[in-house]
Amino acid sequence: QVQVAESGGDSVQAGGSLRLSCGASGDTYNSPCMGWFRQAPGKEREGVAAIYRGGGLRFYADSVKGRFTISQDNAKNTVYLQMNNLKPEDTAMYYCAAVAWCGVDGGLVTYTGTAYWGKGTLVTISS
């Protein structure tokens, strides 16, 4: 089992920045990829960024490229999502997940295998 917990969500104005944090603990060996996903009201959950532990291979959704940066602190087993130039359309519940495999398909971050999800952290961007 893997336990995942996010933090850092807040309400900011458009053009502002936020940094989300995600900690993972437990048996993370079989879940080498950490991903950030978001779900806006009335929409499906979509993947926005992901990173493989150790090697640092990163993936981004087209909608956040150039604005969001995913990074990791392996010593702390923590992944961060730095979000800059935020837009109202970035408003969503953001979830972190530890997954077996991640990549990009159709401009969105995707994953396969068992996913261990956090409870989410709310990001609200006002215009």
Side-chain angles (χ1 to χ4, degrees):
Q1 288 288 332
V2 179
Q3 294 76 45
V4 177
E6 317 91 333
S7 62
D10 205 346
S11 298
V12 299
Q13 290 189 327
S17 298
L18 282 174
R19 188 177 82 156
L20 306 183
S21 300
C22 172
S25 61
D27 185 13
T28 59
Y29 181 79
N30 292 318
S31 303
C33 183
M34 297 294 293
W36 283 100
F37 301 78
R38 67 185 182 187
Q39 188 166 18
K43 294 189 177 181
E44 294 186 354
R45 188 174 299 187
E46 63 178 16
V48 296
I51 186 168
Y52 274 97
R53 291 196 199 84
L57 186 61
R58 310 177 194 197
F59 305 96
Y60 294 98
D62 290 348
S63 60
V64 305
K65 278 182 183 176
R67 300 189 299 123
F68 290 12
T69 302
I70 190 169
S71 61
Q72 60 184 342
D73 183 335
N74 286 323
K76 298 181 179 179
N77 218 9
T78 300
V79 173
Y80 304 99
L81 185 66
Q82 178 67 42
M83 307 186 295
N84 297 328
N85 190 22
L86 284 160
K87 304 176 181 181
E89 52 264 41
D90 294 318
T91 294
M93 185 70 80
Y94 282 71
Y95 299 90
C96 181
V99 300
W101 180 92
C102 55
V104 171
D105 185 17
L108 292 173
V109 170
T110 60
Y111 74 92
T112 58
T114 301
Y116 298 93
W117 296 94
K119 294 182 178 181
T121 186
L122 182 62
V123 172
T124 304
I125 311 302
S126 58
S127 57

